Amino acid sequence: MLFHTWPFLIFFVVVMAGHLALRRTRFWLHWLLVASYFFYGWWNPLYLGLILYSTLLDYLVVAAMDRSRRKLLWLLVSVVNNLLLLGFFKYAGFVTENVDALLAMAGVAWRLPAPDVLLPVGISFYTFQSMSYTIDFYRGQIPRERSFVRFATFVSLFPQLVAGPIERAKELLPQLHRFPKITLRDTTDGASLFLVGLFKKVALADYLASYVDPIYATPDRYGASALLLATFAFAWQIYFDFSGYTDMARGVARAMGFKLMVNFNNPYLATSLGNFWARWHISLSSWFRDYVYIPLGGNRRGPWRTYLNLFLTMVISGLWHGANWTFVIWGALHAVATMATRKAERSHWYHHRVPVFVKRLLVFVVVCFAWIFFRAASLGDAWLILTRICMAPFGFEKGRFIGWSDPAFPLLLLGMVGAVWAYQFVYESRFARLLDTSVVRVVLAVLIILYLFTIPSSRNEAFIYFQF
Amino acid sequence: MSHEQADNHSAVVSSSERQVGETEPPYGATAMRLSLRQWAAVVLLAVPVMVLAPVLWQRGEPLPATPDYRIPYAYSEDYWLYSRVVARSAADKQIAVIGDSVVWGEYVTPQDTLTAHLNRQAAAQQLPNAKFANLGLNGAHPLALTGLVRHYATSLTGVPVIVHCNLLWMSSPERDLSASKEQSFNHPRLVPQLLPHIPSYSASISDRMGNVVDRNVPYLGWARHLRFEYWDGQNLPDWTLEHPYANPFALGDEPRLDDSQELRRPPVAWFDQGLVPQDLPWMDLDTSLQWSAFRDTVERLQSRGNRVFVVVGPLNEHMLMPGSRQRYQALRRQVEQWLSNRRIPFTSPPPLPSDEYADASHPLSAGYARLASELLADAAFQRWLQGGELPRSLATLEAERVGTSEK
């Protein structure tokens, strides 16, 4: 059930009505849990067994940890269980494929049987959310949650269940302890967030996907200019898609009285790679910071160890996104680029001499470069795209002048992306107050509504991050 | 934690992350945070625009005043335009002729359709108040026709309506849409979205609900009209992918709504097209979805106060193999029986000469002329035209048929 579909609208109206009707009873939480499980089961009722298993195990592990002296052992049970769950459903095919390739290289005829498992939607998100609870409890940062219903609702709260934000127990669980106070401001804020998210998804992300998908599906058929623009378009597509989803998730939660964390903060205005990760998928990057980077030693053990920790964290983050070497390379590229520019970014010269515009452009170029690996179907495709783009300035391919082909990038699309980028520039400039006026807000909202009603998407695309 | 927090590397989150204990987390990364008053202003601005846009557009885009006007083929799925054409015909007190491409005129120009011939012959006979409007829609099978009448032909209330019954839609489970295999078909937005269940219709629940909403919000119909007007029936984003540098709001040189010269297919007899007789299985009327939808359309029109006259066929029986022809004739008798039982005036003309058909159901110009002449000579039709409702009995029909064959 996607946020931008009619069934969700009906679902939300029914859930909201029940939510409000049960506000004075103790069953409001049960209602929320049932609604969340219904939402999740809409994709495939079999998935419910999985989330129930993961939730129950972490709930029992923490209960056991609470009574046991061997807390670390119980923590390992939780972490290993979650990683095994993720590993089986997400990485079994990847591992089998690579083992088979190694066996073939070694001349062994035997092959591992190919696992035929379907990746459950949102498994990467809710296992991480559930795991953070057990780790935080182990660290003594949060108390044990004694109510299973409350804990299960925390893991499965439907607005953020399938694609985040990955909420921490210390932030979300307290909000589930009593019925939230829903103010008028929550309702209007929720509607505002939902509207912006809907526009990002339907008007921008799906439109960009129409350009990107065919080019990345058969990159060998396209010239450098189309590949370059498709990469540029993908950078915006994934941003609009994922941040649009987050906006809608936050809007839905907000309307119900729950406050979810900000997950994107104009990432393409980042002035350094570190700053980019502070603005992109914030809930995941902070998760990796707290549960991978810092436990590995962070920056406390000298520069080389810091680089190693950084590299490992980014590569694991890449692998989290998908079981393919392209994602590993994407993570590694970010790690290498971050390490390479870290010193320069901290220098006085970079901070004060390099114009902000140049910094932003540089970061955007590096991020786009990495997106090629993220989006390409295989390393071979990524390499093909890269070589074509790199040879483009000279118009040569395989020593032959091929010139620039027409990329056929719609001007309307370019204008729409440009308008959003310009909006974000103004938002982070000293002229930000211009956007804060009632006239601008109202006119923008009216334009968005009219656009959505007049020019709906012909595609009913699922969100990109659902596949992770 | 302190030295980690100071570390400005990739895994560190900036101030945009919520601080623990903070009561109000940051709202987001845009200024689009509307208060109640601002939302009220948005509604006050957007709603009038959405209500007025279709109304004002109609004034700026008059329908062509060509006689025998029919909706251009390219606008076949523009139901908002269809409703405008229907409204105009009702305002002009024309007799509405509804049906699929047999009424629309698949192989003829607008001047050679059934309604055009009816108009010319009625004028020649100086029949009063006998002006016919071509409200046929290409591909409008009975399941689609029922949605068309229900949602886009409401202004026909009280108007005399001739409904064409093309039994070809009941010739096989695939055409009947009752085959369990999913298939694409014409006008999915018009068919019943939930009940009755159509086995061949595979749209998602979201699409079905979207179609239901679409029918009930005129603004959405108008927005769809823009697609046909400017973007070749496509969605704007898809159109710009094909025309990346073109102005999406530039109209071409041709008059868009005018179809006066439109000839969709070459007017060639079926046997010259290489078509051969077919062995169509034919449906059982009791289980036919298309027949059920046809009945629903007729009953809906009657319940709206329309005087209804039904024209059954005539199908190209020359294109049916003997066994199939027998099954068809039995089916046709059942249809006639139902119409007779329900006291609905109808005619069921004999097949036209073979060379006056272009395929299994579409007549050529000569066929339409003959059909119009037979219709105007039909006693039941004459009574109906004059406002009488006396239906013919089956016995009368059989007697007429015997008479026709003896001639």
Side-chain angles (χ1 to χ4, degrees):
Chain A
M1 201 186 309
L2 304 172
F3 285 154
H4 57 298
T5 59
W6 293 104
F8 179 77
L9 184 69
I10 291 180
F11 167 81
F12 181 68
V13 169
V14 172
V15 170
M16 194 67 190
H19 187 54
L20 293 173
L22 295 169
R23 68 187 184 281
R24 294 188 202 287
T25 73
R26 60 195 174 91
F27 296 112
W28 66 272
L29 206 55
H30 299 76
W31 172 250
L32 218 50
L33 181 61
V34 168
S36 298
Y37 276 11
F38 179 85
F39 177 83
Y40 193 55
W42 184 267
W43 271 280
N44 187 342
L46 290 176
Y47 294 165
L48 287 172
L50 208 61
I51 193 171
L52 201 59
Y53 165 74
S54 175
T55 306
L56 191 62
L57 194 116
D58 281 344
Y59 176 77
L60 294 174
V61 158
V62 167
M65 215 190 286
D66 198 22
R67 284 192 291 265
S68 167
R69 286 186 175 182
R70 293 175 156 184
K71 292 190 186 328
L72 184 61
L73 181 73
W74 287 111
L75 176 67
L76 283 174
V77 170
S78 166
V79 171
V80 168
N81 170 69
N82 278 305
L83 293 182
L84 277 177
L85 207 63
L86 207 54
F88 176 73
F89 283 100
K90 198 164 176 176
Y91 302 105
F94 180 61
V95 171
T96 308
E97 209 178 283
N98 284 284
V99 169
D100 282 352
L102 286 174
L103 289 173
M105 277 168 65
V108 180
W110 184 77
R111 295 283 179 272
L112 283 171
D116 187 21
V117 284
L118 197 65
L119 178 68
V121 175
I123 190 170
S124 309
F125 291 90
Y126 68 72
T127 48
F128 268 42
Q129 184 153 317
S130 188
M131 230 184 331
S132 77
Y133 165 72
T134 53
I135 299 170
D136 285 352
F137 179 79
Y138 171 78
R139 288 173 174 176
Q141 292 174 349
I142 53 165
R144 175 188 160 199
E145 177 50 62
R146 291 181 183 275
S147 160
F148 176 73
V149 172
R150 186 170 294 117
F151 177 66
T153 310
F154 156 71
V155 175
S156 65
L157 189 66
F158 74 86
Q160 49 94 69
L161 171 59
V162 288
I166 304 169
E167 284 291 327
R168 303 296 179 80
K170 65 188 169 202
E171 301 295 344
L172 189 54
L173 264 175
Q175 296 187 53
L176 299 172
H177 272 269
R178 63 189 66 83
F179 189 85
K181 188 182 172 192
I182 304 173
T183 63
L184 198 60
R185 191 70 197 178
D186 285 328
T187 309
T188 54
D189 279 358
S192 307
L193 279 166
F194 196 89
L195 181 69
V196 171
L198 192 65
F199 182 71
K200 283 180 178 174
K201 170 63 183 166
V202 175
L204 296 165
D206 286 356
Y207 192 179
L208 286 157
S210 313
Y211 183 78
V212 174
D213 289 352
I215 295 177
Y216 263 85
T218 50
D220 53 318
R221 291 189 190 171
Y222 293 88
S225 50
L227 293 168
L228 194 64
L229 280 168
T231 303
F232 166 82
F234 177 69
W236 285 100
Q237 182 204 341
I238 193 166
Y239 165 69
F240 288 133
D241 191 283
F242 195 16
S243 74
Y245 176 86
T246 306
D247 287 341
M248 285 191 265
R250 293 183 66 228
V252 167
R254 189 76 162 228
M256 299 178 77
F258 303 111
K259 295 177 175 70
L260 304 182
M261 69 184 292
V262 174
N263 216 12
F264 290 87
N265 185 16
N266 300 334
Y268 294 140
L269 295 186
T271 51
S272 68
L273 281 173
N275 187 230
F276 173 79
W277 281 103
R279 292 163 172 265
W280 179 274
H281 204 172
I282 297 163
S283 65
L284 182 73
S285 56
S286 62
W287 197 100
F288 275 109
R289 176 199 64 192
D290 292 347
Y291 302 115
V292 179
Y293 178 74
I294 291 174
L296 282 172
N299 63 353
R300 289 166 294 180
R301 298 184 187 172
W304 290 108
R305 185 59 192 266
T306 303
Y307 287 143
L308 179 66
N309 293 341
L310 195 56
F311 188 81
L312 285 173
T313 307
M314 298 302 286
V315 167
I316 295 169
S317 163
L319 203 55
W320 177 91
H321 283 85
N324 196 326
W325 286 109
T326 51
F327 292 111
V328 177
I329 301 282
W330 171 76
L333 277 175
H334 266 282
V336 170
T338 306
M339 290 187 291
T341 56
R342 196 165 177 249
K343 230 175 183 163
E345 284 174 358
R346 289 176 159 193
S347 67
H348 182 271
W349 171 80
Y350 186 82
H351 267 294
H352 296 95
R353 296 288 173 86
V354 181
V356 171
F357 178 77
V358 174
K359 289 181 200 170
R360 285 174 169 162
L361 198 64
L362 281 173
V363 172
F364 183 69
V365 168
V366 171
V367 170
C368 281
F369 177 81
W371 282 137
I372 293 174
F373 286 87
F374 191 94
R375 179 61 183 82
S378 65
L379 284 178
D381 276 5
W383 184 248
L384 175 91
I385 293 164
L386 260 182
T387 49
R388 283 207 178 165
I389 290 176
C390 291
M391 293 304 289
F394 313 106
F396 283 94
E397 188 183 298
K398 293 177 183 171
R400 194 167 55 89
F401 182 74
I402 54 167
W404 278 76
S405 54
D406 177 9
F409 192 83
L411 286 178
L412 178 71
L413 184 54
L414 193 64
M416 287 169 73
V417 172
V420 175
W421 213 355
Y423 178 94
Q424 294 184 346
F425 267 106
V426 175
Y427 183 73
E428 293 210 1
S429 74
R430 58 199 163 100
F431 303 109
R433 287 192 168 200
L434 285 174
L435 304 177
D436 219 13
T437 58
S438 283
V439 174
V440 173
R441 289 185 191 189
V442 168
V443 168
L444 279 177
V446 168
L447 289 176
I448 286 175
I449 287 171
L450 291 179
Y451 184 93
L452 290 172
F453 272 91
T454 314
I455 304 166
S457 168
S458 58
R459 303 154 65 103
N460 209 354
E461 295 276 328
F463 294 89
I464 294 176
Y465 262 69
F466 279 20
Q467 61 193 286
F468 304 141
Chain B
M1 281 289 286
S2 58
H3 57 292
E4 265 86 21
Q5 279 174 342
D7 191 6
N8 185 25
H9 60 67
S10 61
V12 176
V13 173
S14 75
S15 58
S16 60
E17 191 192 6
R18 179 177 39 189
Q19 297 299 308
V20 178
E22 197 178 42
T23 51
E24 178 72 4
Y27 170 74
T30 68
M32 283 289 293
R33 186 184 195 185
L34 279 75
S35 65
L36 185 66
R37 275 188 187 181
Q38 287 165 339
W39 269 114
V42 169
V43 171
L44 284 175
L45 283 171
V47 170
V49 169
M50 293 171 77
V51 170
L52 289 176
V55 178
L56 295 176
W57 191 272
Q58 284 188 43
R59 294 193 179 178
E61 184 196 61
L63 292 171
T66 50
D68 306 315
Y69 182 74
R70 68 179 180 186
I71 286 192
Y73 176 76
Y75 290 78
S76 294
E77 290 188 37
D78 185 351
Y79 310 128
W80 184 77
L81 179 66
Y82 185 86
S83 67
R84 287 180 61 195
V85 176
V86 166
R88 183 176 72 171
S89 79
D92 291 349
K93 300 196 184 322
Q94 292 180 312
I95 296 167
V97 184
I98 63 172
D100 58 12
S101 51
V102 171
V103 173
W104 185 81
E106 182 80 357
Y107 291 83
V108 295
T109 61
Q111 297 79 31
D112 281 323
T113 58
L114 175 64
T115 50
H117 283 290
L118 279 171
N119 280 329
R120 278 201 292 276
Q121 293 181 22
Q125 294 175 26
Q126 296 182 329
L127 290 177
N129 302 325
K131 287 188 293 180
F132 301 89
N134 185 345
L135 299 184
L137 192 70
N138 206 294
H141 48 87
L143 277 162
L145 198 64
T146 188
L148 194 69
V149 166
R150 183 173 180 180
H151 302 285
Y152 298 98
T154 46
S155 47
L156 279 184
T157 304
V159 169
V161 180
I162 298 172
V163 187
H164 178 249
C165 178
N166 186 353
L167 293 179
L168 193 66
W169 295 112
M170 295 139 216
S171 62
S172 68
E174 288 73 28
R175 286 199 176 108
D176 190 58
L177 303 184
S178 51
S180 53
K181 190 180 168 191
E182 293 168 355
Q183 58 175 322
S184 62
F185 53 87
N186 293 318
H187 304 292
R189 291 193 296 118
L190 290 177
V191 304
Q193 299 297 314
L194 299 172
L195 290 172
H197 171 65
I198 301 173
S200 300
Y201 188 35
S202 62
S204 67
I205 290 180
S206 185
D207 286 345
R208 289 168 194 253
M209 291 170 72
N211 289 339
V212 171
V213 174
D214 219 35
R215 294 165 175 174
N216 294 294
V217 182
Y219 182 84
L220 297 178
W222 170 75
R224 199 174 284 275
H225 172 69
L226 293 182
R227 296 187 189 185
F228 297 98
E229 193 68 29
Y230 292 103
W231 312 313
D232 307 329
Q234 297 181 77
N235 199 10
L236 176 61
D238 295 339
W239 185 85
T240 60
L241 290 169
E242 288 178 15
H243 309 85
Y245 314 121
N247 175 3
F249 293 101
L251 283 170
D253 297 333
E254 307 147 21
R256 312 274 292 187
L257 297 180
D258 184 13
D259 79 323
S260 55
Q261 300 305 316
E262 188 178 28
L263 181 62
R264 173 134 166 75
R265 290 176 197 264
V268 180
W270 65 279
F271 41 80
D272 287 337
Q273 291 185 50
L275 299 176
V276 291
Q278 295 177 12
D279 187 18
L280 299 174
W282 298 98
M283 294 293 297
D284 182 351
L285 278 195
D286 294 336
T287 56
S288 167
L289 283 175
Q290 297 282 23
W291 170 243
S292 168
F294 181 81
R295 286 188 324 197
D296 179 65
T297 302
V298 171
E299 286 166 355
R300 184 176 300 281
L301 285 167
Q302 286 187 316
S303 70
R304 282 184 188 166
N306 297 106
R307 291 195 307 111
V308 179
F309 188 88
V310 175
V311 178
V312 184
L315 207 72
N316 183 0
E317 293 184 31
H318 315 286
M319 221 179 122
L320 296 177
M321 292 173 81
S324 184
R325 190 182 306 144
Q326 280 181 358
R327 290 194 293 274
Y328 161 70
Q329 286 168 348
L331 186 92
R332 193 182 63 182
R333 276 194 292 276
Q334 288 179 55
V335 170
E336 290 162 354
Q337 181 75 59
W338 182 82
L339 290 165
S340 182
N341 291 347
R342 303 300 294 259
R343 302 183 66 78
I344 297 165
F346 73 97
T347 185
S348 184
L352 303 167
S354 182
D355 60 353
E356 291 180 3
Y357 283 105
D359 58 23
S361 63
H362 295 99
L364 293 166
S365 178
Y368 281 125
R370 185 186 301 274
L371 189 57
S373 131
E374 286 178 3
L375 207 52
L376 290 172
D378 185 279
F381 187 67
Q382 286 173 358
R383 277 199 300 277
W384 180 80
L385 267 186
Q386 288 156 15
E389 286 286 344
L390 287 174
R392 59 159 48 87
S393 68
L394 270 184
T396 317
L397 185 72
E398 286 302 324
E400 284 170 4
R401 275 206 188 117
V402 171
T404 311
S405 61
E406 281 174 354
K407 279 179 202 169

